[in-house]
Amino acid sequence: MARNVRQHMADGTLRKATPAPHWKQLRQGDRVRVLFSPGFEAGGVVDTITADHTAVWVHLDGGRGRTLLHCGDGVDIVPCGETGCRD
């Protein structure tokens, strides 16, 4: 093995996880749409939010369970608001 190889180092550089501004408005019990990727989304209810709003637990509709979403996962959580979520 080469002498200058660093073991147990992360492959990428670390960057601060920053949630989208609308994530900071989410509250427990809010109806939301989770946008996983283009064409894949699901409705749900916010269960728990970390104090820094970087991670959110959502109970997905249709019995799909509870999932943990992090702001660095490449997903978006959109509040339904007064107009409700589209189906």
Side-chain angles (χ1 to χ4, degrees):
M1 183 183 282
R3 290 183 179 208
N4 294 330
V5 174
R6 294 184 190 179
Q7 294 181 4
H8 308 293
M9 296 292 292
D11 292 330
T13 58
L14 296 177
R15 60 187 167 118
K16 185 175 180 177
T18 306
H22 60 272
W23 280 41
K24 295 179 181 181
Q25 305 304 317
L26 295 173
R27 300 289 177 256
Q28 187 175 13
D30 285 354
R31 294 272 320 144
V32 294
R33 295 299 290 175
V34 180
L35 309 174
F36 294 102
S37 64
F40 296 96
E41 61 182 59
V45 177
V46 173
D47 181 42
T48 306
I49 306 165
T50 59
D52 61 359
H53 295 275
T54 58
V56 180
W57 281 97
V58 176
H59 280 286
L60 298 175
D61 294 343
R64 287 180 267 180
R66 182 175 179 246
T67 188
L68 176 62
L69 305 167
H70 187 268
C71 64
D73 289 342
V75 300
D76 197 9
I77 305 171
V78 180
C80 290
E82 296 175 5
T83 61
C85 291
R86 62 178 175 84
D87 292 330

